[in-house]
Amino acid sequence: MQKIVAVCGKGGVGKTAVTAMMTRELRGRPSTGHFLVVDADPALGLMYALNVQSDKTIGAVRDKVLQAAESGNAGARAEVANELDYLITSSLIEEKDYSVIAMGHMDAKGCFCSVNGLLRDALGELVEKFDTILIDGEAGIEQINRQVVDRINTLILVTDSSYRGVQTVHHIEEMVKNGAIDSCEMVGVVFNRIQGDNRTLEELQALVGLPVLGIIPYDATVQNFDAEGKPLFDLPDDTPALKAVGKIIDKVFA
Ligand SMILES: Nc1ncnc2c1ncn2[C@@H]1O[C@H](COP(=O)(O)OP(=O)(O)OP(=O)(O)O)[C@@H](O)[C@H]1O
Ligand SMILES: [Mg+2]
């Protein structure tokens, strides 16, 4: 079955770091199959973490289509609509063992519902072609394209043990209860950047209503890689945070 996994949580809790480490651990596993990674953050932090360079984003495709729509020229409109699949496919970056796509800025003004509809359909078709899709989201899940959101079946909420991080988890817990993401079969929490070995799973589980999928320790190597601008994808195999992510994947993808 197709697995669509979104990684969400409060700003700065480590969503991008966790997604980059998950990408590293998932690629090449036979159960992963055809693998797509989506950077849904306009700041393109995941692209840096994966050491992937590209200026092609879905936002740029959208702008191009909007321009054609605005030009009012029916010929240009029809042409771009036809081209949309091609434009989206050419925004896809092929890496060894996985593909990446960046959403970029999706905030162009105006309501061009037909354009958004076309884009949604084209993205939906693209997503169809992969077995595992991993999304580095923003704080909420609202920003991820609707066509994709409706099909997310695994939601990973990253948090640190801070009050505000946990509050964000509670907020998303509410959304889940209210049926905002009915498609989700698994929703769980990952505690990240946990200092020392003295926080037990039970203790952290008591902070949230959703099941805790795992604990990722504070890891100076992760912090240093980011501080020095080195891609997290290149972390050494024995990095404790990476090992913890491997265990979480064993659980989520069991
Ligand atoms: N397990 C960890 N150990 C040490 N440092 C970590 C760990 N996880 C993340 N960090 C550091 O925390 C900082 C924030 O991480 P990251 O950018 O992944 O957060 P984010 O949730 O994606 O942020 P944003 O909301 O801005 O996208 C980075 O400097 C990163 O190196
Ligand atoms: Mg990020």
Side-chain angles (χ1 to χ4, degrees):
M1 203 202 73
Q2 195 188 35
K3 213 149 178 105
I4 307 192
V5 185
V7 179
C8 295
K10 188 182 85 72
V13 289
K15 298 177 292 295
T16 300
V18 170
T19 310
M21 291 189 281
M22 285 180 75
T23 305
R24 160 80 179 267
E25 286 293 312
L26 275 169
R27 51 102 219 223
R29 288 193 185 203
S31 57
T32 304
H34 202 190
F35 183 22
L36 175 67
V37 182
V38 181
D39 189 351
D41 178 355
L44 305 183
L46 184 63
M47 304 291 275
Y48 291 107
L50 298 176
N51 200 17
V52 173
Q53 274 97 26
S54 172
D55 52 1
K56 293 183 191 156
T57 64
I58 296 297
V61 169
R62 183 174 183 265
D63 289 346
K64 192 166 179 184
V65 178
L66 282 175
Q67 267 168 23
E70 272 172 345
S71 79
N73 176 333
R77 267 203 304 273
E79 201 174 297
V80 177
N82 280 335
E83 236 184 50
L84 196 60
D85 278 344
Y86 165 77
L87 286 174
I88 288 188
T89 308
S90 61
S91 313
L92 202 65
I93 304 144
E94 306 276 350
E95 290 291 303
K96 190 175 178 295
D97 298 329
Y98 67 99
S99 303
V100 195
I101 202 156
M103 299 307 288
H105 286 279
M106 296 294 284
D107 50 9
K109 288 191 194 76
C111 173
F112 292 91
C113 299
S114 63
V115 169
N116 288 335
L118 284 172
L119 192 61
R120 199 175 56 223
D121 295 345
L123 270 177
E125 267 173 47
L126 174 77
V127 161
E128 207 65 56
K129 296 180 183 139
F130 291 88
D131 304 304
T132 301
I133 294 139
L134 177 65
I135 306 165
D136 179 13
E138 292 185 89
I141 49 166
E142 298 87 349
Q143 296 86 353
I144 303 167
N145 184 279
R146 203 67 237 167
Q147 179 76 14
V148 181
V149 168
D150 288 344
R151 293 151 67 169
I152 290 171
N153 46 35
T154 307
L155 185 61
I156 297 184
L157 304 175
V158 179
T159 187
D160 47 24
S161 51
S162 73
Y163 177 77
R164 293 247 294 114
V166 171
Q167 284 303 108
T168 303
V169 172
H170 289 319
H171 171 70
I172 300 179
E173 260 171 45
E174 279 307 307
M175 289 177 62
V176 173
K177 268 193 218 143
N178 298 336
I181 25 174
D182 270 344
S183 56
C184 259
E185 281 151 27
M186 183 192 260
V187 184
V189 178
V190 166
F191 278 92
N192 182 39
R193 229 164 37 198
I194 301 302
Q195 303 255 15
D197 302 325
N198 52 348
R199 302 297 296 264
T200 63
L201 190 69
E202 290 71 27
E203 196 188 334
L204 293 171
Q205 178 66 76
L207 298 175
V208 292
L210 292 163
V212 176
L213 300 170
I215 301 173
I216 305 172
Y218 169 83
D219 189 328
T221 312
V222 173
Q223 175 106 54
N224 292 340
F225 259 60
D226 259 350
E228 290 163 20
K230 288 196 228 162
L232 291 180
F233 194 78
D234 298 336
L235 282 168
D237 283 336
D238 60 354
T239 310
L242 194 58
K243 285 189 175 167
V245 168
K247 277 193 206 153
I248 291 166
I249 285 174
D250 291 342
K251 207 174 206 173
V252 173
F253 289 77

